[in-house]
């Protein structure tokens, strides 16, 4: 039932692989996984991780909704951000990436920042509130997110 939406994600991944004329080993190498992992996904024995789905969508320009549910067009329209970075020597470096990947990378950066800053911020808050209960992990994380939002607003990137 190819293309009807009734197939599973493994069948759709197999379809993508075959349309690209990849062997399972070549497809696995493209995404840094094992041949056995691709085989198990295609047979429906394993489900792909969210990160693996994101990489397939990014590298092959696949519509995520189609990949996950079989609905919509197989390939997505170009929906890319152009990231421009100015190097120390003033040279512009531009990279294209999907919104989905950028959102994932930002969330990972926030998570890493939270882990690194949590202890220091918790200690700082505790010093400002002597004699009170130390802040919880959730309170510290909320404070960090609020500070990040404020920094984005101050920088002028937020409409």
């Amino acid at each position: 039932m190819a293309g009807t939406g009734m197939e599973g994600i493994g069948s759709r991944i197999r379809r993508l692989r075959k349309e690209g004329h990849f062997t399972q080993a070549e497809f696995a190498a493209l995404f840094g996984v094992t041949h056995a992992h691709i085989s198990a996904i295609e047979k429906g024995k394993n489900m792909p991780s969210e990160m693996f789905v994101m990489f397939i969508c990014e590298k092959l320009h696949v519509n995520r909704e189609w990949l996950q549910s079989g609905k919509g067009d197989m390939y997505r329209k170009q929906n890319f951000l152009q990231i421009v970075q100015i190097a120390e020597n003033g040279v512009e470096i531009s990279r294209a990436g999907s919104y989905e990947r950028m959102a994932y990378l930002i969330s990972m950066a926030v998570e890493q920042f939270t882990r690194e800053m949590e202890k220091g911020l918790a200690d700082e808050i505790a010093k400002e509130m002597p004699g009170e209960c130390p802040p919880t992990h959730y309170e510290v994380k909320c404070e960090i997110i609020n500070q990040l939002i404020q920094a984005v607003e101050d920088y002028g990137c937020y409409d």
Side-chain angles (χ1 to χ4, degrees):
M1 293 198 178
T4 66
M6 297 301 289
E7 62 191 7
I9 192 168
S11 297
R12 288 186 291 279
I13 288 173
R14 179 184 305 116
R15 182 173 163 193
L16 284 170
R17 179 180 60 79
K18 289 187 179 245
E19 281 196 13
H21 305 286
F22 292 105
T23 65
Q24 283 185 341
E26 291 167 337
F27 197 77
L30 181 64
F31 295 101
V33 297
T34 65
H35 169 273
H37 184 63
I38 297 297
S39 178
I41 288 172
E42 288 185 0
K43 291 177 182 175
K45 293 180 180 178
N46 288 349
M47 289 296 292
S49 69
E50 284 297 313
M51 184 180 286
F52 187 63
V53 168
M54 180 187 68
F55 287 150
I56 289 174
C57 292
E58 181 179 314
K59 283 190 178 190
L60 302 178
H61 308 287
V62 172
N63 175 354
R64 187 179 183 123
E65 182 181 6
W66 175 84
L67 184 59
Q68 292 184 311
S69 69
K71 296 178 184 171
D73 295 330
M74 180 189 290
Y75 295 101
R76 62 179 155 78
K77 296 172 179 64
Q78 293 297 322
N79 185 21
F80 283 85
L81 286 175
Q82 191 68 24
I83 309 302
V84 177
Q85 177 182 4
I86 306 297
E88 287 180 17
N89 60 5
V91 175
E92 258 190 27
I93 302 167
S94 39
R95 297 174 292 169
S98 68
Y99 290 117
E100 189 172 73
R101 178 169 172 73
M102 293 311 298
Y104 174 77
L105 292 174
I106 288 168
S107 70
M108 296 284 54
V110 167
E111 194 63 37
Q112 180 180 353
F113 178 77
T114 301
R115 281 193 302 270
E116 291 173 3
M117 298 302 295
E118 183 180 304
K119 178 70 172 115
L121 186 58
D123 290 345
E124 188 177 312
I125 292 170
K127 285 179 192 173
E128 292 177 9
M129 302 167 30
E132 296 184 33
C133 293
T136 65
H137 170 78
Y138 176 76
E139 291 168 331
V140 172
K141 191 170 191 173
C142 287
E143 179 63 24
I144 290 170
I145 290 170
N146 287 334
Q147 288 179 10
L148 287 170
I149 290 168
Q150 187 62 51
V152 169
E153 289 174 346
D154 290 348
Y155 189 68
C157 295
Y158 181 75
D159 292 326

